[in-house]
Each structure stands twice: as C-alpha cells, then as structure tokens.
Amino acid sequence: MTTLELLRWATIIVVGANVGLLLVTVVHRVASLLWRRRREQVRSALRPLLIRLMVDGVTTLPPLTRRRMTMLEVIATDFLGKVRGEARQALVTLLRERGADRVALRRLRWPGAFGRAAAAELLGSIGTFDHVGPLVARLGDRDPEVRRVACRSIGRIGDPVAVGPMLRALDALRPVPFGVVAVALLRTGPPATPALRTALGDESASARAMAAEMLGVHGAVEAT
C-alpha cells in the first residue's frame, strides 16, 4: 500500500470518527432536551397537588409512580424555603412521612460531597431538633461547602445546643467561615444568649469575639 493510499485511509477514518462524534453529540443533546421537557411536564402536573396540600389541607395523595413521588419530594423541598406556617408544616409532614429525612441522614455519610451538602440542606429545611446532632458532626467535614451548608442548616433549625460547636468550628482544623457562623447565630436568636455568655470565657479569641458581637446584636443586657 502506497503512502498516498495510507493517507487516504487515514483521512477517511478521521472524518468517520468526527462524523460519529458529531452524531453522538447531537443525539445526546436531543435526548437531554426531551428529558428536560418531560421533567418540566411532570413538575407542572405535580405542582397543583402540592398547592392543594398546602392550601386546602389535603392529607392524602393519589397513587403515584416511584419516579413521580421522587419528583414530588424534590418540588416540596424547593417550596420549603418559600412558605411559612401551616403550608410549610404540611410540606414537612409529607417529606417526613415519605422518609426523606431518614434518607438525608444516611446521605450525610456518603462519599460524594455534593450528596452530603444536599442532605444537610434538606435537613435544615425540614427544621427538626433531632437532626442537629448529625449536622453538628458535619461541621468538621473534609469538604468546605458541606461545612458551610451544615452550619447554615443548624442556624435555620435554631437549636441553642449547637451554639458551642459552631463557635468551636471557627478555629477548628477544618474551620467554618466567620460570616457563616455569624448568620447561623443570628438566626438562632435570643435563645443562644446563655451559651454565648459562657463563650466569653472560651480559650479561642475568635469564639470570644463572636460571642461578644452576637450578645450585642441580640441586645443581651444581662451580659453587659
């Protein structure tokens, strides 16, 4: 086989490979577009169910496939941060009945940081004191985003028991940023005052500074 024939065959192979890659890319994009459209159709069909649950107090749901039930849980989680009062409690009840919090507690120990962060976010949204202990354990997570999400979630739950661990996380080997801890303590509110007063004698200068700052913000006259 001559050099010219080798070049011709090489050209054919390269062109064929490029065409094949192009076809794969097109098929992938079309499939992704169809999947996103289908998902949005399912979400649009499920939203009225959640609205009835929140507004009308409907306690039973029609039979749903496993995939649709999973999507319903995702939408409910998205709604949690947007509603208050009875509507929010209805969503929390739905998620807990479906075992979403139990799944999230298991996911806190998963290898993937994204899964741990998502689990911490969900637990904070559900907002139950029972979840504070596992979230406190994630304040020392090897991934910085997981540590931040865990701290924010603890703040949303508002359990003053976690004040000490959050303050200690400021100077930990794997620290949580000052601003993240500050916001979490702000959300905890006045119930954090006793633990903050105790922290004024902490060995950590960061903990003492944060405690003093938060006591002033909360207007804790007894700490003057």
Side-chain angles (χ1 to χ4, degrees):
M1 184 179 291
T2 65
T3 303
L4 183 59
E5 290 174 331
L6 285 173
L7 289 174
R8 185 181 297 118
W9 278 108
T11 302
I12 292 172
I13 292 172
V14 171
V15 171
N18 287 334
V19 171
L21 181 61
L22 178 61
L23 288 174
V24 170
T25 302
V26 170
V27 170
H28 175 72
R29 288 184 178 179
V30 170
S32 297
L33 178 61
L34 292 175
W35 180 80
R36 286 196 296 270
R37 286 182 178 176
R38 176 59 180 164
R39 184 179 65 175
E40 188 54 39
Q41 289 174 352
V42 173
R43 290 175 69 97
S44 298
L46 292 175
R47 285 192 189 100
L49 291 178
L50 281 182
I51 292 174
R52 287 181 59 206
L53 180 75
M54 293 184 292
V55 176
D56 299 334
V58 175
T59 57
T60 58
L61 295 171
L64 296 171
T65 63
R66 183 175 180 179
R67 179 175 294 181
R68 288 194 167 215
M69 196 66 232
T70 300
M71 180 64 73
L72 189 70
E73 292 174 10
V74 172
I75 301 172
T77 302
D78 292 340
F79 271 127
L80 272 177
K82 304 172 184 176
V83 295
R84 295 289 182 272
E86 293 182 359
R88 186 180 186 282
Q89 186 56 47
L91 294 178
V92 170
T93 299
L94 171 67
L95 290 170
R96 299 203 73 178
E97 287 178 350
R98 296 297 305 171
D101 56 336
R102 294 193 297 273
V103 173
L105 287 170
R106 292 197 297 270
R107 290 179 69 191
L108 281 179
R109 301 187 294 272
W110 282 11
F114 180 81
R116 296 197 303 276
E121 185 75 31
L122 175 59
L123 292 173
S125 296
I126 291 177
T128 302
F129 280 18
D130 295 343
H131 302 150
V132 171
L135 287 170
V136 165
R138 290 300 100 196
L139 292 176
D141 194 276
R142 60 183 177 275
D143 185 84
E145 180 60 20
V146 176
R147 297 197 296 271
R148 288 191 289 267
V149 174
C151 189
R152 288 196 295 266
S153 293
I154 292 170
R156 286 202 298 273
I157 294 173
D159 188 351
V161 170
V163 170
M166 285 193 289
L167 290 173
R168 288 192 291 273
L170 291 168
D171 283 337
L173 182 63
R174 295 167 173 165
V176 178
F178 197 90
V180 176
V181 175
V183 172
L185 291 172
L186 280 173
R187 299 194 72 164
T188 303
T193 298
L196 291 173
R197 290 180 63 186
T198 300
L200 289 175
D202 198 278
E203 294 181 358
S204 166
S206 297
R208 297 197 303 274
M210 176 69 78
E213 184 73 26
M214 290 300 106
L215 287 167
V217 171
H218 292 319
V221 179
E222 66 273 23
T224 303

